Amino acid sequence: MTAIRLLLVDDDPLVRAGLSFMMGGADDIEIVGEAADGGEVEALVDRTRPDVVLMDLRMPAVDGLTATERLRARQDAPQVVVLTTFHADEQVLRALRAGAAGFVLKDTPPAEILAAVRRVAAGDPVLSPTVTRQLMRHAVGTAADTRRTRARDRMAALNDREREVAVAVGRGLSNAEIATGLFMSVATVKTHVSRILAKLDLNNRVQIALLAYDAGLLEEDRLEGEQESR
């Protein structure tokens, strides 16, 4: 099996050393480089071609959010897992909107960080439905109305079936669960998810979930469910 190529980005040398020691002991992960600042990331990515970048958010010169936005705007960009000390933080949300595949807390047990890197390398996001909802509840503020209008305009590109799938993704359901709930095959669900990503120019399921939330579709779905249960 080809090893997962991993780039570590953190301004704290002790954190990098700990991550390198922990990750380097796994047979299926190869540490291809380390960076102490977000400004070093693009050049290192060009040189080392990592599959996954483990990215600290808070760095003194170029922060992890800016580095993530720059990376995910490129073609053939590596997957990004954000390292943070906060469960719900505006920078985490912005990194996810920029295309990060998920985040892990710095005090996460080593086995879980390894699992997160493996999942992201396999194309799966690393946000549980509970954490996704927590982040979504945090996504409020003065820009909420503008964000909803823009999100609704983007979601208008989807047909009715694709909107149903997008809502289900936003609820944190797996492909198998969506297939059962919408009476379709898993293969058809995957096709719909791929079309949604292409139509909306998104990178992953986390972005679908956030956009569906921004558009108010999850709230509408909840209210409809409550009405039907009465």
Side-chain angles (χ1 to χ4, degrees):
M1 182 177 66
T2 304
I4 299 165
R5 298 174 62 81
L6 180 66
L7 175 64
L8 303 176
V9 185
D10 197 296
D11 64 317
D12 188 333
L14 291 178
V15 172
R16 292 201 310 275
L19 289 170
S20 182
F21 177 78
M22 175 180 64
M23 299 290 188
D27 293 336
D28 59 340
I29 293 178
E30 177 186 359
I31 308 296
V32 296
E34 297 182 15
D37 184 75
E40 305 171 19
V41 172
E42 288 189 274
L44 267 175
V45 166
D46 288 337
R47 189 161 67 248
T48 63
R49 300 295 178 185
D51 301 305
V52 180
V53 178
L54 197 55
M55 181 87 74
D56 183 26
L57 272 184
R58 287 169 170 78
M59 291 177 284
V62 177
D63 62 31
L65 171 60
T66 301
T68 297
E69 291 173 338
R70 290 175 180 174
L71 272 187
R72 295 305 303 172
R74 295 161 48 128
Q75 288 190 339
D76 301 322
Q79 297 292 341
V80 176
V81 178
V82 169
L83 275 171
T84 180
T85 54
F86 299 95
H87 282 278
D89 178 83
E90 184 61 30
Q91 281 198 315
V92 174
L93 275 169
R94 289 176 62 189
L96 295 173
R97 294 186 195 283
F103 75 92
V104 293
L105 299 177
K106 287 194 173 183
D107 59 359
T108 298
E112 293 182 23
I113 297 180
L114 284 167
V117 169
R118 292 177 178 127
R119 284 184 59 187
V120 166
D124 296 325
V126 288
L127 286 179
S128 69
T130 300
V131 172
T132 302
R133 286 193 294 270
Q134 182 181 2
L135 282 167
M136 288 174 178
R137 285 195 296 269
H138 187 71
V140 296
T142 56
D145 290 340
T146 300
R147 191 164 55 236
R148 173 158 294 195
T149 299
R150 290 175 178 173
R152 284 183 177 273
D153 288 344
R154 293 183 68 185
M155 296 296 285
L158 305 182
N159 61 38
D160 290 344
R161 202 55 161 167
E162 289 165 348
R163 283 168 66 91
E164 289 179 327
V165 173
V167 169
V169 170
R171 290 171 54 205
L173 301 182
S174 67
N175 286 341
E177 290 169 333
I178 296 172
T180 299
L182 297 181
F183 305 102
M184 61 177 72
S185 69
V186 172
T188 301
V189 173
K190 291 180 179 179
T191 298
H192 281 308
V193 170
S194 295
R195 287 176 178 168
I196 293 167
L197 292 171
K199 282 187 175 183
L200 301 180
D201 192 26
L202 301 176
N203 293 301
N204 54 47
R205 295 168 73 99
V206 174
Q207 287 185 316
I208 295 175
L210 289 171
L211 191 62
Y213 175 83
D214 286 346
L217 299 185
L218 300 186
E219 182 180 354
E220 292 174 3
D221 181 65
R222 178 182 62 80
L223 292 174
E224 288 176 4
E226 290 176 354
Q227 291 174 355
E228 290 175 0
S229 64
R230 290 174 182 171

